[in-house]
Amino acid sequence: MSQPLVVKKDDDLDEEEYYSPFLGIEKGAVLQEARVFHDPQLDARRCCQVITKLLYLLNQGDTFTKVEATEVIIVTSSLMKDMNSKTDMYRANAIRVLCRIIDSTLLTQIERYLKQAIVDKNPVVASAALVSGIYLLQTSPEVVKRWSNEVQEAVQSRAALVQFHALALLHQIRQNDRLAVSKLVTSLTRGSVRSPLAQCLLIRYTSQVIRESGMNTQGGDRPFFDFLESCLRNKAEMVILEAARAITDLNGVTSRELTPAITVLQLFLSSSKPVLRFAAVRTLNKVASTHPLAVTNCNIDMESLISDQNRSIATLAITTLLKTGNESSVDRLMKQMTNFMSDIADEFKIVVVEAIRSLCLKFPLKYRSLMNFLSNILREEGGFDYKKAIVDSIIILIRDIPDAKESGLFHLCEFIEDCEFTYLSTQILHFLGNEGPKTSDPSKYIRYIYNRVILENATVRASAVSTLAKFGALVDALKPRIFVLLRRCLFDGDDEVRDRATLYIKLLDGEATVGETEKDVTDFLFGSLDVPLANLEASLRNYEPSEVPFDISSVPKETKSQPLAEKKATGKKSTGPSSTVNGPVPTIDASYEKLLSAIPEFAGFGKLFKSSTPVELTEAETEYSVNVVKHIYDGHVVLQYNCTNTIPEQLLEEVMVFVDASEAEEFSEVASKPLRSLPYDSPGQTFVAFEKPEGVLATGKFSNILKFIVKEVDSSTGEAEDDGVEDEYQLEDFEIISADYMLKVGVSNFRNAWESMDPESERVDEYGLGVRENLAEAVSAVISILGMQPCEGTDVVQNNSRSHTCLLSGVFIGNVKVLVRLSFGISGPKEVAMKLAVRSDDPEVSDRIHEIVANG
């Protein structure tokens, strides 16, 4: 219960007496007052006050679990007596309170009363019993499931709220049985539900059945879709909106099937109620992303909403128009938005900017007017997020529309002349250094860059020095002028600026290293850092100065995931180095390398390539908790079993895992290291090592049995018995898959990284992925098979999208860089086709990636 139930104030009840239930409440006092329930002559108002106090305590998070048993009996017996009161309000309140404080044992005693209350003629009592059933379903599901007949009867009630609560409870009872839910929806879509609230629920359940069953709305037998269409003609506005939203959210819905929903939403656009206008334009905005032509008929109505007093409605209207507009309407929309932008908050401006970017990519010939609009609003006042959205949009347009490069770079240069955000200045300078030298007249950007050296803070000055060096490396005609400017930077007051200037002068002058070529200089300046900065920082901090110089190749290349909550919160123990168990990205932890290298049996395996996230081999809350970490070497695999004993009365000794690799024929066991002792709640590790052929992508399934000697522990002394018993515990199977041989390593600029790869290594082929629920499922499946890192957020697929491009990067075993470009499309009824393009440092690895996908 989110709000305490308060009795309606009577005229003869003064203010002090009415509010007294909430003044100076103490649990003991309430319990004492509860005893008066035994008095048959109890005043009705006094009884209502006591009930209200009990409810108020429950809403404050208090419980009766800490009071004496006698007081619990007093309260529960009093409430049970009040359940049979002749006053319906007392009965309803008593049911709500009692169901919040009783346990499963007492529930069986009052089950008969609750079942009677569900079918009670008074809707207040029936609703109270149904809501209590929803709450009890979480704690005593088996008891509540026995009420199905009574709840089914309540669904036929004429009371709107009772029907709503009954339908919600009945669905929750059957939610784990897909067939039962389908039958429920089928029986109710025939017209027995009258309550608008219940009809909204039924529409949602119907949509769920359609999605889960994969029904084709275009077929001849489509009763569920016909029901949704019939709800568009309902008298209740909430039902119409819910039905329209459900139809537009269906997968594979056609423009013809959208027409009735679009029509009713168009009518709501001219409603006098702001909430209806907002709901309609919000739904249309979502539809415009996938079916823009279906929404074009509403454009005239939405243009009138641009001047709506509600800025949320106006923002959704303008962004929808930007999605549905044609090339001829772009200039007119830009004029309308000029005044509109000054009247809305930054969060709405960001939405508009993103819509303009999409429109420009849709109509590249209109880039001039759209780019000018972005540059104008870039010079206006605004916060960091708003300015960053504009800058990001201009950069994307420059990359995707070649003709927009010159004007886009010029707008960015003008912006950094008066930019108050250091992050944006450095971002633009970095981009300018990559794209500026490739323009027809690179010299015109030097003035803007060197102004940053003179006028800005140290961070921006250092970035400007790097940008100047890039111009000097790629434009020979500018190199003498760049030398002059860099030499002036040698007298800067900041160490970073001076160090960069010194480094770049020597690089450009060919003094850095003997044998260094011009290509080496270019690679140094333009090449992307292939190790995560966080890992590089950690390695530098751990480096101890010695005669051996720091080697950047020793830095782990794996992307580290954010630490998760402790596994104890989910009823499991996490053990061993790096206790991130359920993280989506595997990590190489330096402590793993240190741990394995200290074991003589594994010291000769070479450098560790990858460590997986722990794979659980036991269920939660079992006697023993075991997970396995797969450590991958070039020619070996070491399995680290993290074990935890969760039984206080036992000590385990000589713990080891017997591994059956009969289904992994390419692996042969070469070493193992048992765990001598495993006390209660003290994690330990046991290891098994396998040899595999080098250069072979060995995969297979491993069966596991935990073997140990059990010794009983005296709980009083904590000492274990001398004699033990051999025992074993069956663990879950796990697999070594192709993704285990790939590190997830991201790249900051996929396009530059792709172009820098040798085109001769590219391998392209097309694949059919069969029937999929949607493109998001197909993208997720391929990413999981390859085990690579998605770049630039391309792993996110828009709803109902029929095509998508996903960019992946990684490092294959042997430290071979790999880039993948995936193009997905729906070629038939949910038939997904994929085009796979791979580039890598080794053409053989490109072929292997195709083999992995073909066999996946």
Side-chain angles (χ1 to χ4, degrees), residues 504-647:
Y504 294 140
I505 287 173
K506 290 191 174 184
L507 279 174
L508 296 177
D509 205 22
E511 300 176 7
T513 305
V514 176
E516 191 174 63
T517 64
E518 185 177 346
K519 183 178 183 301
D520 295 330
V521 175
T522 305
D523 289 343
F524 178 81
L525 290 172
F526 292 92
S528 59
L529 189 65
D530 60 353
V531 294
L533 290 177
N535 295 3
L536 178 60
E537 180 184 0
S539 298
L540 288 170
R541 290 183 182 277
N542 295 331
Y543 172 69
E544 297 180 1
S546 64
E547 295 181 358
V548 179
F550 177 78
D551 184 5
I552 196 171
S553 63
S554 65
V555 179
K557 296 182 179 180
E558 187 67 18
T559 305
K560 290 207 172 192
S561 61
Q562 293 293 329
L564 300 175
E566 284 190 14
K567 202 173 170 197
K568 269 187 177 179
T570 59
K572 300 179 183 179
K573 306 282 185 178
S574 60
T575 58
S578 179
S579 60
T580 46
V581 175
N582 298 319
V585 180
T587 65
I588 288 183
D589 196 316
S591 55
Y592 276 143
E593 287 189 292
K594 186 176 180 181
L595 175 67
L596 294 170
S597 61
I599 300 175
E601 292 88 342
F602 312 145
F605 289 173
K607 183 172 177 58
L608 177 64
F609 172 71
K610 176 181 178 179
S611 296
S612 72
T613 52
V615 178
E616 292 301 325
L617 303 181
T618 56
E619 298 290 337
E621 305 296 341
T622 53
E623 300 95 325
Y624 313 110
S625 174
V626 181
N627 60 59
V628 63
V629 179
K630 297 173 279 187
H631 301 293
I632 309 297
Y633 294 83
D634 286 341
H636 296 82
V637 173
V638 175
L639 305 177
Q640 174 185 330
Y641 294 90
N642 300 314
C643 309
T644 303
N645 173 18
T646 62
I647 304 177

Side-chain angles (χ1 to χ4, degrees), residues 416 422 425-433 445-472 482 485-486 489 492 496-497 500-501 504:
I416 60 175
T422 298
S425 294
T426 55
Q427 180 187 10
I428 292 171
L429 286 169
H430 173 74
F431 182 72
L432 191 60
Y445 304 109
I446 302 300
R447 173 173 63 89
Y448 297 101
I449 300 170
Y450 191 67
N451 281 347
R452 310 282 66 74
V453 177
I454 300 173
L455 302 173
E456 296 288 356
N457 57 52
T459 303
V460 179
R461 295 202 305 272
S463 181
V465 168
S466 298
T467 304
L468 287 172
K470 292 178 180 180
F471 275 79
I482 298 297
L485 299 179
L486 290 178
C489 299
D492 193 274
E496 174 75 12
V497 178
R500 289 195 185 195
Y504 294 140

Side-chain angles (χ1 to χ4, degrees), residues 166-203:
L167 179 56
L169 177 56
L170 192 59
H171 179 266
Q172 286 200 23
I173 290 174
R174 302 182 180 181
Q175 63 182 348
N176 295 324
D177 187 344
R178 184 179 296 182
L179 181 60
V181 172
S182 179
K183 288 181 178 179
L184 171 66
V185 172
T186 301
S187 63
L188 295 178
T189 52
R190 296 170 182 169
S192 59
V193 177
R194 301 290 182 220
S195 162
L197 286 171
Q199 284 180 321
C200 288
L201 265 187
L202 183 58
I203 290 171

Side-chain angles (χ1 to χ4, degrees), residues 783-795:
I783 293 175
S784 178
I785 290 172
L786 294 176
M788 301 179 70
Q789 177 72 28
C791 301
E792 301 174 5
T794 55
D795 56 324

